[in-house]
Amino acid sequence: MGKGQQGRSMLEMLGVLAIIGILSITAFVGFNYALNKHRANTVIEDVMLVASSVETSGEFERAQAGSLLSLPELDMSRTRLGYPISAYKYDEDLFFV
């Protein structure tokens, strides 16, 4: 430090704050992306669980075309993320979840 200087200048402090801000925003965006990816994977898992239950339960063959399929082994009123889910028999070869 030169004669008469004490501490940091205002410009140095603003530079440090700008770097901290950029790093914080980057961390927040990365966390938000990871959280959204986790939610999407959870939805896909729930749909695949219902689809595999429809295929293995025999309910698909017993149901009429155009009806909702009931799967008592699954609580289809609420999933892990809190949304309702159901399976619908479209025709003799196709169902929707």
Side-chain angles (χ1 to χ4, degrees), residues 30-49:
F31 177 75
N32 198 21
Y33 174 79
L35 192 60
N36 287 336
K37 192 74 168 168
H38 171 71
R39 287 182 183 147
N41 286 337
T42 303
V43 170
I44 290 168
E45 253 180 63
D46 288 342
V47 169
M48 291 185 73
L49 178 66

Side-chain angles (χ1 to χ4, degrees), residues 21 37 41 45 56 60-61 64 70 72 76 89 91:
K37 192 74 168 168
N41 286 337
E45 253 180 63
T56 60
F60 182 74
E61 286 79 18
Q64 297 287 330
S70 75
M76 294 173 59
K89 183 174 183 178
D91 62 19

